[in-house]
């Protein structure tokens, strides 16, 4: 989740994992977040391939949380964390890397608010989003 920015509900209900083109498609919360494309970061591409073949997106929230907490423990993390913390880390890493702010909003599925230029006239294709995500 740190390399994709998905909300937990979005991750568990992804519409598509396109390994050939290297992206996820999904999103559920808002108009800006629905059906968005998020490139698969090279650092997680092998894991996504293996896990997508094993049906990992068809697990329950409870099963995910059990595995999430098990992974934290295995990594030696003793502080309490939630999957949403990964989304915050994703946004922070993108910001720290100097990623384009419009791309960051698109990757997170955030609306451009009242900025008409950003909302209507600024377009980001999958390659531009890939450039932003690969900065982290």
């Amino acid at each position: 989740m740190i390399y994709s920015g998905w909300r937990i509900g979005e991750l568990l209900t992804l519409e598509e994992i396109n390994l050939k083109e290297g992206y996820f498609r999904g999103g559920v919360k808002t108009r800006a977040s629905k059906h968005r494309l998020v490139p698969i970061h090279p650092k997680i591409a092998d894991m996504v391939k293996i896990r997508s073949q094993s049906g990992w997106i068809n697990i329950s929230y409870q099963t995910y949380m059990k595995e999430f907490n098990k992974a934290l423990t295995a990594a030696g993390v003793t502080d309490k964390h939630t999957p949403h913390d990964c989304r915050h880390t994703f946004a922070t890493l993108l910001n720290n890397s100097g990623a384009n702010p419009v791309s960051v909003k698109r990757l997170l599925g955030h609306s451009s608010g009242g900025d008409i230029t950003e909302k209507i006239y600024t377009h980001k294709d999958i390659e531009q989003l890939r450039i932003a995500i690969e900065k982290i």
Side-chain angles (χ1 to χ4, degrees):
M1 291 175 68
I2 288 174
Y3 287 101
S4 66
W6 292 111
R7 295 173 181 95
I8 182 64
E10 294 172 327
L11 179 66
L12 297 177
T13 59
L14 286 172
E15 297 168 25
E16 176 184 10
I17 301 172
N18 188 318
L19 297 171
K20 184 178 178 186
E21 299 294 324
Y23 66 80
F24 303 100
R25 181 188 308 275
V28 294
K29 189 172 178 183
T30 66
R31 189 172 147 232
S33 69
K34 289 182 179 178
H35 314 297
R36 73 183 185 278
L37 295 181
V38 174
I40 298 172
H41 194 289
K43 289 183 180 179
I44 63 169
D46 288 340
M47 181 195 71
V48 170
K49 181 179 181 181
I50 291 165
R51 296 204 179 206
S52 65
Q53 294 168 348
S54 67
W56 68 282
I57 68 169
N58 295 320
I59 64 172
S60 69
Y61 177 80
Q62 291 77 15
T63 300
Y64 182 87
M65 287 305 299
K66 181 180 173 186
E67 294 300 318
F68 180 82
N69 289 321
K70 196 161 67 173
L72 289 177
T73 300
V77 177
T78 57
D79 296 338
K80 178 74 176 149
H81 288 283
T82 68
H84 198 73
D85 293 338
C86 298
R87 189 167 158 80
H88 285 254
T89 301
F90 178 71
T92 300
L93 291 171
L94 286 169
N95 181 273
N96 290 348
S97 73
N100 179 293
V102 174
S103 293
V104 173
K105 286 181 184 179
R106 300 279 163 80
L107 289 166
L108 289 165
H110 289 166
S111 118
S112 299
D115 186 338
I116 296 299
T117 303
E118 206 173 279
K119 187 175 181 180
I120 305 297
Y121 295 100
T122 305
H123 305 284
K124 296 292 179 187
D125 64 24
I126 189 70
E127 291 310 314
Q128 291 162 319
L129 296 175
R130 193 177 313 285
I131 288 168
I133 209 168
E134 288 181 4
K135 287 180 175 277
I136 61 174

